[in-house]
Amino acid sequence: MAEPNDDLLADDAKALMRNASLKLVVIARQLRAHFDQSVVRLGVTRSQWTVIAAVARHPGATQRTIANMLEIAEASAGRLIDRLCADGLLERRAKDDDRRAHAVFLTETGQAITTQLAGIARANEEVAFAGFDHDDLHRLNALLDTISENIGKP
């Protein structure tokens, strides 16, 4: 038979997990909002900067690959890429191995914005992680990796 203290500990653990889950959701929203406020002066939306960041990390990716990376519909990715091409931030180039597909690359202007976005991201990270030392950050990353692995299990 379970001891009364065991039930209290189980209830406390459940409450702590719920609290941590809610905090992760709120913090993710706060991080996005803070970054969005910081980049508004660049004239790019969240959707646009996520595409720019994806192309910066994977130059030459196709529209389909970008859509998959961002977990959005291919048509939505296409519209965003069209807009960013029209704004001179991205360019499409024919793929050598598939004439139907186009590779997407940053232009010089797109690269300049990527550099600015990276600087803004670093500044936001300094604010978010103020007071954390190297060991804190290492432990936090390990804990978040464990959560991600747990969620990714079938």
Side-chain angles (χ1 to χ4, degrees):
M1 181 168 183
E3 295 290 322
N5 273 350
D6 290 343
D7 290 339
L8 290 173
L9 289 174
D11 288 345
D12 187 47
K14 289 176 187 175
L16 287 170
M17 286 188 281
R18 173 61 53 93
N19 192 29
S21 294
L22 292 172
K23 282 182 182 179
L24 286 170
V25 170
V26 170
I27 290 167
R29 188 176 303 124
Q30 288 173 319
L31 287 169
R32 282 191 308 270
H34 193 259
F35 189 80
D36 287 347
Q37 290 169 356
S38 300
V39 301
V40 73
R41 66 182 167 79
L42 298 179
V44 292
T45 66
R46 178 184 302 161
S47 297
Q48 290 172 328
W49 66 253
T50 58
V51 171
I52 291 167
V55 174
R57 280 190 224 103
H58 302 281
T62 63
Q63 179 176 311
R64 175 172 290 152
T65 301
I66 293 165
N68 288 337
M69 282 188 283
L70 300 178
E71 298 178 352
I72 61 174
E74 196 171 336
S76 297
R79 285 189 296 275
L80 286 164
I81 293 166
D82 288 344
R83 176 79 251 158
L84 292 166
C85 286
D87 290 345
L89 302 174
L90 299 179
E91 65 181 359
R92 285 188 171 102
R93 299 180 199 157
K95 285 184 60 76
D96 295 334
D97 59 343
D98 185 351
R99 288 184 289 148
R100 296 168 297 160
H102 288 84
V104 181
F105 294 89
L106 291 171
T107 62
E108 283 186 36
T109 305
Q111 183 60 51
I113 283 196
T114 301
T115 302
Q116 291 176 301
L117 288 170
I120 291 168
R122 278 190 299 277
N124 283 346
E125 289 158 359
E126 291 293 329
V127 169
F129 297 107
F132 283 62
D133 65 22
H134 183 267
D135 290 339
D136 294 334
L137 293 169
H138 183 73
R139 180 74 177 142
L140 177 60
N141 274 282
L143 292 168
L144 293 171
D145 287 344
T146 300
I147 292 169
S148 180
E149 290 168 15
N150 290 343
I151 292 171
K153 290 179 183 176

